[in-house]
Amino acid sequence: MKIVIAGAGEVGTHLAKMLSQENQDIILMDPNEERLNFSKSSMEILPMVGNPTSLRDLEEAGIKKADLFVSVTPEETTNVTACMLAHNLGAHRTLARINNYEYLLPKNKELFEKLGINSMIYPEMLAAKEIVTAVRRPWTRQYWELFGGALILIGVKVRDNSRLVNRVLAELLNEQKLYHIVAIKRKNETIIPRGTDRIESGDIVFFTTTRSHIEDVRLLAGKKDPEVKKVIIMGGSRIAIRACQYLPNNIRVKVIEANKEKSHRIAEVVPSNVLIINGDGRDTDLLMQEGIKDAQTFIALTENSSTNILACLAAKRLGVFKTIAKIENIDYIQLAESMDIGSVINKKLIAASHIYQFLLDADVSNVKCLTFANADVAELVARPDSKITKKQVKDLRLPKDMTLGGLIRDGEPMMIKGDTQIQAYDHVVVFCLDTAMRKLEDYFN
């Protein structure tokens, strides 16, 4: 596929890096040459200095032959205009990053299709939905629905009270029909486990399971599941406002915002179960005064990653069960994990994941990025006579950095065991490290 990405900011650059591992023909365009300097590294990306709203620059980028044009500059009007121009110049499909929720309403979809914009992403809205998911299942580090919810991916930090600790995976075979352990994050290392691997206290263990066995995974991991009745949010960002609108209205929410004018503006748009407090969320006395000890969840959404990490640590020390930090600096994610911050929200990774979902519709494998584990998740279809269908899974000699997490056959989700034989047109979830991603095509095509 030929893909043209406009905007070498954090989202565009991260997306280009991920796609460069898939042997796609990628052009990354930006009017600022300095932003494109990284592209001269070993990554297979063609950098191009150009304006995505310039007809000449788009034509020079070869837009006529582009299978996909993605515009993810910080400016919504630039992205919408660029997609309209790209479509009219011959781009097969287009995707725009936007900041206006109104554009996503179903009644407006046809209008934008006519204008030549096939899909739109609103990163702040996606981040807010991730926050709501984390609040609904406070015992998880990550919770993703795969194949529209037929299979569930759950990341959990296991501690000494878990029945999994010090168990070798081979000992858990009888339970494998309920779940499959697809990855283990241990300090700075990601392990795609084999039967001989042992689970240790402090590991983040990633399971695939079906919806009916989520509770089995929770009990196995030794996790409590407190009912969330009170949430405190630090920072009145757009993500905070969206999260307030999406959270169930039986949850009491307090948003602490330092800017007085902003506090008044937020108060006008949030539901009645949300109270806006003008103050500094880092002030422990203020947190105590606002009932932090009664809160089950604390969410730090300021623009400063280190402030968010420290605030979550303080909240944990005050007894909050679940903490969620917005961390936009990818380098800080590892730090947050080592400091035992609960869930991490990163707009770049979320936006890239959803653009991959869009690519899946264009017959490209859907590869999501695990925030805590440097692993890729691919949803793939087994082609007739492909290598993956020839033998039982235990006899396939899969690369050691790859494991099969589950499959959908005729609409039914199934866990994969050693004696499972993949059939043509099965939809399979594959987990692998970066090094194994390129080998996937050999097995599935």
Side-chain angles (χ1 to χ4, degrees):
M1 279 182 83
K2 177 166 183 169
I3 302 171
V4 179
I5 300 171
E10 292 182 322
V11 175
T13 302
H14 187 69
L15 178 64
K17 285 178 181 177
M18 292 172 75
L19 286 168
S20 70
Q21 298 169 9
E22 290 192 13
N23 297 323
Q24 310 291 357
D25 179 7
I26 300 161
I27 292 174
L28 182 59
M29 170 193 282
D30 197 282
N32 186 337
E33 189 174 1
E34 285 183 14
R35 288 184 179 173
L36 296 164
N37 284 342
F38 83 93
S39 302
K40 291 166 186 168
S41 65
S42 58
M43 285 182 298
E44 295 174 15
I45 299 168
L46 181 63
M48 177 186 164
V49 179
N51 187 332
T53 58
S54 159
L55 294 169
R56 189 187 67 187
D57 289 350
L58 286 171
E59 285 175 344
E60 197 177 317
I63 202 70
K64 283 181 184 174
K65 293 181 180 176
D67 297 287
L68 177 65
F69 175 77
V70 178
S71 191
V72 285
T73 77
E75 296 298 323
E76 177 183 75
T77 50
T78 298
N79 297 332
V80 170
T81 304
C83 284
M84 289 164 60
L85 295 174
H87 169 76
N88 282 285
L89 289 172
H92 183 57
R93 305 186 85 193
T94 64
L95 182 145
R97 174 185 178 173
I98 59 162
N99 301 319
N100 188 340
Y101 171 70
E102 189 183 11
Y103 291 176
L104 293 171
L105 295 174
K107 65 179 183 180
N108 297 326
K109 188 174 183 206
E110 193 179 339
L111 166 66
F112 284 100
E113 285 276 0
K114 283 178 182 173
L115 292 172
I117 302 167
N118 301 110
S119 190
M120 293 175 282
I121 60 158
Y122 179 7
E124 285 79 9
M125 186 187 82
L126 298 173
K129 286 185 174 178
E130 294 251 339
I131 287 168
V132 173
T133 299
V135 171
R136 285 179 185 273
R137 302 204 183 264
W139 55 276
T140 65
R141 285 295 173 98
Q142 287 194 316
Y143 180 94
W144 274 343
E145 295 189 350
L146 304 167
F147 297 119
L151 288 173
I152 311 292
L153 169 64
I154 301 173
V156 186
K157 183 149 191 172
V158 297
R159 305 186 191 275
D160 290 334
N161 65 332
S162 168
R163 285 188 282 138
L164 291 168
V165 170
N166 294 324
R167 299 278 297 277
V168 173
L169 262 61
E171 296 173 12
L172 304 169
L173 282 176
N174 292 337
E175 301 175 48
Q176 288 291 308
K177 60 177 186 256
L178 307 183
Y179 62 85
H180 182 57
I181 294 174
V182 292
I184 297 170
K185 184 73 196 294
R186 182 171 298 153
K187 294 181 180 173
N188 297 330
E189 184 188 7
T190 300
I191 301 162
I192 299 292
R194 289 281 175 260
T196 54
D197 283 303
R198 186 182 298 275
I199 295 170
E200 297 177 6
S201 180
D203 286 350
I204 298 175
V205 180
F206 291 89
F207 302 82
T208 47
T209 190
T210 54
R211 199 175 288 279
S212 55
H213 292 302
I214 293 169
E215 188 65 5
D216 293 303
V217 170
R218 182 183 74 79
L219 294 171
L220 189 73
K223 292 293 179 182
K224 295 176 184 172
D225 189 18
E227 184 184 356
V228 176
K229 295 179 179 176
K230 182 175 178 181
V231 172
I232 293 180
I233 299 175
M234 180 176 84
S237 63
R238 282 191 301 185
I239 295 176
I241 294 168
R242 284 278 158 221
C244 289
Q245 291 166 343
Y246 295 148
L247 282 165
N249 56 16
N250 62 336
I251 294 177
R252 289 180 297 135
V253 182
K254 290 186 176 181
V255 178
I256 302 174
E257 168 54 48
N259 184 297
K260 196 166 189 176
E261 282 182 32
K262 200 172 175 184
S263 300
H264 291 307
R265 289 201 306 272
I266 296 166
E268 292 172 6
V269 294
V270 293
S272 58
N273 61 314
V274 180
L275 179 65
I276 309 300
I277 293 147
N278 177 225
D280 187 344
R282 297 170 297 181
D283 183 343
T284 306
D285 290 338
L286 175 64
L287 290 175
M288 294 293 284
Q289 189 180 318
E290 295 304 332
I292 186 82
K293 285 187 174 286
D294 301 326
Q296 291 78 36
T297 305
F298 178 84
I299 307 167
L301 298 175
T302 75
E303 295 306 311
N304 188 311
S305 296
S306 51
T307 296
N308 294 340
I309 292 171
L310 291 170
C312 283
L313 287 173
K316 269 195 174 297
R317 200 170 63 243
L318 293 168
V320 177
F321 181 83
K322 175 75 173 183
T323 57
I324 303 168
K326 185 182 93 154
I327 300 178
E328 286 307 312
N329 185 332
I330 288 180
D331 296 335
Y332 280 21
I333 291 176
Q334 196 76 52
L335 174 67
E337 200 282 312
S338 66
M339 297 173 86
D340 219 12
I341 295 299
S343 293
V344 167
I345 298 296
N346 181 286
K347 276 193 307 186
K348 293 188 289 291
L349 296 175
I350 293 167
S353 165
H354 280 262
I355 293 170
Y356 268 119
Q357 186 67 52
F358 181 71
L359 289 177
L360 178 64
D361 298 334
D363 293 328
V364 175
S365 63
N366 171 25
V367 183
K368 294 190 176 76
C369 181
L370 289 179
T371 308
F372 278 130
N374 302 320
D376 293 316
V377 188
E379 298 175 0
L380 298 164
V381 179
R383 303 294 174 199
D385 296 321
S386 57
K387 194 174 175 182
I388 201 83
T389 63
K390 300 290 186 187
K391 297 175 182 176
Q392 291 185 347
V393 169
K394 64 186 177 188
D395 299 321
L396 282 171
R397 295 193 176 180
L398 292 171
K400 66 178 187 331
D401 291 342
M402 183 190 298
T403 188
L404 308 180
L407 64 83
I408 308 293
R409 180 176 296 161
D410 300 325
E412 287 297 314
M414 296 169 54
M415 291 293 101
I416 294 175
K417 295 181 283 186
D419 58 1
T420 302
Q421 181 134 5
I422 308 295
Q423 296 178 11
Y425 305 111
D426 282 352
H427 290 251
V428 185
V429 178
V430 183
F431 291 76
C432 57
L433 301 185
D434 294 345
T435 51
M437 182 51 66
R438 291 175 186 268
K439 301 171 190 171
L440 280 179
E441 290 180 11
D442 296 340
Y443 283 89
F444 282 86
N445 290 332

